[in-house]
Amino acid sequence: MDGTIVQRHLTGIEPLSGSNFKKWKSQLEIVLGWMEYDISLTEEMPAVPEPTATKSAKTEYLKWMKANKMAMMIIKSSIGDDIRRGIPSKDTVKELMEDIEDQFTGSKKALQFTYLTQLISLKYDGHGNVREHIPKLSKLVISLKELEMDLGTDFLFI
């Protein structure tokens, strides 16, 4: 596999920030699928082969283990340090993804509340440039939309 193609796909994964969980997961699944490491998500871990096991059983086990290891590294590299520290270590990618999903889908309402509170309390103080203030507002509105909270025009122009 060409290193530049792999690098392009890996950098195409938007780092997990919390509010972008759905987009992050989708991008991650595409990359893992393209690299054929998604078997660690879709298939159960095969049993450790006995020394007398067939070559195909040993190969299947080694393929799954490599996919799990590589997928784990890709996932961890696509999560910021602050978020990564809060996620417990797991042995399989499937367990890791379930924990991450629980963490971010369970806190959706809390994130909505946090962003909405920030949006309501964010006021232009008259110092500096208004053009610097507008992106702050836009970022909060976009974050709320990513969390499936559409504020509508009535709310924004009261």
Side-chain angles (χ1 to χ4, degrees):
M1 198 174 298
D2 183 10
T4 56
I5 293 172
V6 171
Q7 184 64 28
R8 191 174 327 130
H9 283 288
L10 294 178
T11 57
I13 302 172
E14 183 178 315
L16 179 61
S17 64
S19 63
N20 68 338
F21 173 75
K22 283 185 177 181
K23 185 175 183 180
W24 172 83
K25 183 180 177 186
S26 174
Q27 291 173 341
L28 185 69
E29 287 173 343
I30 290 168
V31 169
L32 293 177
W34 184 83
M35 297 177 83
E36 297 180 5
Y37 296 145
D38 61 335
I39 62 168
S40 56
L41 281 172
T42 59
E43 298 176 15
E44 293 298 320
M45 182 174 136
V48 179
E50 297 291 327
T52 57
T54 64
K55 184 176 180 177
S56 66
K58 291 177 182 178
T59 302
E60 179 185 332
Y61 175 77
L62 291 174
K63 180 180 177 182
W64 191 94
M65 292 300 288
K66 179 182 179 182
N68 188 65
K69 181 180 178 181
M70 296 303 293
M72 192 77 75
M73 288 191 291
I74 291 167
I75 290 169
K76 288 179 179 180
S77 72
S78 69
I79 301 173
D81 290 338
D82 51 338
I83 293 175
R84 190 178 327 127
R85 280 187 232 117
I87 299 171
S89 294
K90 296 294 178 180
D91 293 327
T92 68
V93 169
K94 194 172 191 175
E95 293 171 329
L96 179 65
M97 287 300 290
E98 287 170 358
D99 271 9
I100 293 170
E101 189 160 1
D102 288 345
Q103 184 173 347
F104 288 102
T105 56
S107 63
K108 180 178 172 181
K109 290 289 184 193
L111 275 171
Q112 286 175 337
F113 177 78
T114 301
Y115 291 143
L116 191 57
T117 303
Q118 288 175 2
L119 182 64
I120 291 169
S121 64
L122 189 63
K123 294 182 173 100
Y124 177 65
D125 60 6
H127 299 294
N129 191 338
V130 175
R131 289 182 185 190
E132 294 171 3
H133 180 72
I134 292 172
K136 293 176 189 174
L137 294 169
S138 296
K139 183 178 179 185
L140 289 169
V141 170
I142 289 168
S143 295
L144 286 165
K145 284 183 180 181
E146 287 175 348
L147 290 170
E148 299 170 358
M149 184 175 191
D150 190 10
L151 300 175
T153 56
D154 291 340
F155 177 82
L156 294 176
F157 295 107
I158 293 179

